[in-house]
PDB file of all heavy atoms in Angstrom:
ATOM      1  N   GLY K  22       0.422  12.616  55.505  1.00 97.00           N
ATOM      2  CA  GLY K  22      -0.821  13.333  55.207  1.00 97.00           C
ATOM      3  C   GLY K  22      -0.558  14.560  54.354  1.00 97.00           C
ATOM      4  O   GLY K  22      -1.025  14.704  53.225  1.00 97.00           O
ATOM      5  N   PHE K  37       2.081  25.160  37.505  1.00 96.00           N
ATOM      6  CA  PHE K  37       3.446  25.658  37.559  1.00 96.00           C
ATOM      7  C   PHE K  37       4.276  24.607  38.321  1.00 96.00           C
ATOM      8  O   PHE K  37       3.756  23.754  38.993  1.00 96.00           O
ATOM      9  CB  PHE K  37       3.527  27.025  38.267  1.00 96.00           C
ATOM     10  CG  PHE K  37       2.801  27.066  39.583  1.00 96.00           C
ATOM     11  CD1 PHE K  37       3.473  26.725  40.741  1.00 96.00           C
ATOM     12  CD2 PHE K  37       1.453  27.399  39.672  1.00 96.00           C
ATOM     13  CE1 PHE K  37       2.814  26.745  41.993  1.00 96.00           C
ATOM     14  CE2 PHE K  37       0.827  27.441  40.911  1.00 96.00           C
ATOM     15  CZ  PHE K  37       1.493  27.093  42.068  1.00 96.00           C
ATOM     16  N   LEU K  85      14.416  17.356  69.349  1.00 98.00           N
ATOM     17  CA  LEU K  85      14.553  18.502  68.426  1.00 98.00           C
ATOM     18  C   LEU K  85      14.335  19.825  69.088  1.00 98.00           C
ATOM     19  O   LEU K  85      14.993  20.794  68.709  1.00 98.00           O
ATOM     20  CB  LEU K  85      13.618  18.322  67.178  1.00 98.00           C
ATOM     21  CG  LEU K  85      13.940  17.194  66.231  1.00 98.00           C
ATOM     22  CD1 LEU K  85      12.855  17.087  65.152  1.00 98.00           C
ATOM     23  CD2 LEU K  85      15.323  17.469  65.592  1.00 98.00           C
ATOM     24  N   ASP K  88      17.608  20.806  70.484  1.00 97.00           N
ATOM     25  CA  ASP K  88      18.725  20.676  69.554  1.00 97.00           C
ATOM     26  C   ASP K  88      19.063  22.112  69.000  1.00 97.00           C
ATOM     27  O   ASP K  88      18.372  22.595  68.114  1.00 97.00           O
ATOM     28  CB  ASP K  88      18.363  19.731  68.441  1.00 97.00           C
ATOM     29  CG  ASP K  88      19.511  19.516  67.459  1.00 97.00           C
ATOM     30  OD1 ASP K  88      20.370  20.426  67.301  1.00 97.00           O
ATOM     31  OD2 ASP K  88      19.531  18.447  66.798  1.00 97.00           O
ATOM     32  N   ILE K 139       6.242  26.555  77.073  1.00 98.00           N
ATOM     33  CA  ILE K 139       7.458  26.875  76.317  1.00 98.00           C
ATOM     34  C   ILE K 139       7.570  28.380  76.090  1.00 98.00           C
ATOM     35  O   ILE K 139       8.632  28.921  76.217  1.00 98.00           O
ATOM     36  CB  ILE K 139       7.503  26.048  75.010  1.00 98.00           C
ATOM     37  CG1 ILE K 139       7.647  24.602  75.272  1.00 98.00           C
ATOM     38  CG2 ILE K 139       8.632  26.557  74.130  1.00 98.00           C
ATOM     39  CD1 ILE K 139       7.504  23.687  74.070  1.00 98.00           C
ATOM     40  N   ASP K 140       6.456  28.970  75.710  1.00 97.00           N
ATOM     41  CA  ASP K 140       6.449  30.388  75.464  1.00 97.00           C
ATOM     42  C   ASP K 140       5.067  30.965  75.853  1.00 97.00           C
ATOM     43  O   ASP K 140       4.069  30.761  75.166  1.00 97.00           O
ATOM     44  CB  ASP K 140       6.726  30.704  73.965  1.00 97.00           C
ATOM     45  CG  ASP K 140       6.842  32.182  73.630  1.00 97.00           C
ATOM     46  OD1 ASP K 140       6.336  33.023  74.444  1.00 97.00           O
ATOM     47  OD2 ASP K 140       7.407  32.528  72.634  1.00 97.00           O
ATOM     48  N   GLY K 141       5.034  31.674  76.980  1.00 97.00           N
ATOM     49  CA  GLY K 141       3.790  32.183  77.484  1.00 97.00           C
ATOM     50  C   GLY K 141       3.137  33.302  76.674  1.00 97.00           C
ATOM     51  O   GLY K 141       2.046  33.706  76.898  1.00 97.00           O
ATOM     52  N   TYR K 151      -6.216  24.516  62.136  1.00 97.00           N
ATOM     53  CA  TYR K 151      -5.000  25.124  61.764  1.00 97.00           C
ATOM     54  C   TYR K 151      -5.099  26.597  61.922  1.00 97.00           C
ATOM     55  O   TYR K 151      -6.191  27.186  61.972  1.00 97.00           O
ATOM     56  CB  TYR K 151      -4.578  24.785  60.281  1.00 97.00           C
ATOM     57  CG  TYR K 151      -5.596  25.167  59.289  1.00 97.00           C
ATOM     58  CD1 TYR K 151      -5.627  26.467  58.715  1.00 97.00           C
ATOM     59  CD2 TYR K 151      -6.561  24.243  58.829  1.00 97.00           C
ATOM     60  CE1 TYR K 151      -6.580  26.852  57.822  1.00 97.00           C
ATOM     61  CE2 TYR K 151      -7.497  24.654  57.884  1.00 97.00           C
ATOM     62  CZ  TYR K 151      -7.515  25.950  57.368  1.00 97.00           C
ATOM     63  OH  TYR K 151      -8.430  26.316  56.440  1.00 97.00           O
ATOM     64  N   ALA K 182      -8.065  24.707  43.085  1.00 98.00           N
ATOM     65  CA  ALA K 182      -7.004  23.645  43.111  1.00 98.00           C
ATOM     66  C   ALA K 182      -7.133  22.768  44.347  1.00 98.00           C
ATOM     67  O   ALA K 182      -7.019  21.521  44.299  1.00 98.00           O
ATOM     68  CB  ALA K 182      -5.658  24.263  42.985  1.00 98.00           C
ATOM     69  N   ARG K 187      -8.742  17.703  47.037  1.00 97.00           N
ATOM     70  CA  ARG K 187      -9.605  17.098  48.030  1.00 97.00           C
ATOM     71  C   ARG K 187     -10.483  15.960  47.401  1.00 97.00           C
ATOM     72  O   ARG K 187     -10.564  14.873  47.911  1.00 97.00           O
ATOM     73  CB  ARG K 187     -10.513  18.104  48.722  1.00 97.00           C
ATOM     74  CG  ARG K 187     -11.447  17.491  49.763  1.00 97.00           C
ATOM     75  CD  ARG K 187     -12.473  18.527  50.224  1.00 97.00           C
ATOM     76  NE  ARG K 187     -11.854  19.562  51.011  1.00 97.00           N
ATOM     77  CZ  ARG K 187     -11.616  19.514  52.318  1.00 97.00           C
ATOM     78  NH1 ARG K 187     -11.820  18.405  52.994  1.00 97.00           N
ATOM     79  NH2 ARG K 187     -11.065  20.512  52.933  1.00 97.00           N
TER      80      ARG K 187
END
Side-chain angles (χ1 to χ4, degrees):
F37 50 88
L85 288 175
D88 182 334
I139 292 172
D140 185 340
Y151 58 85
R187 180 189 292 275

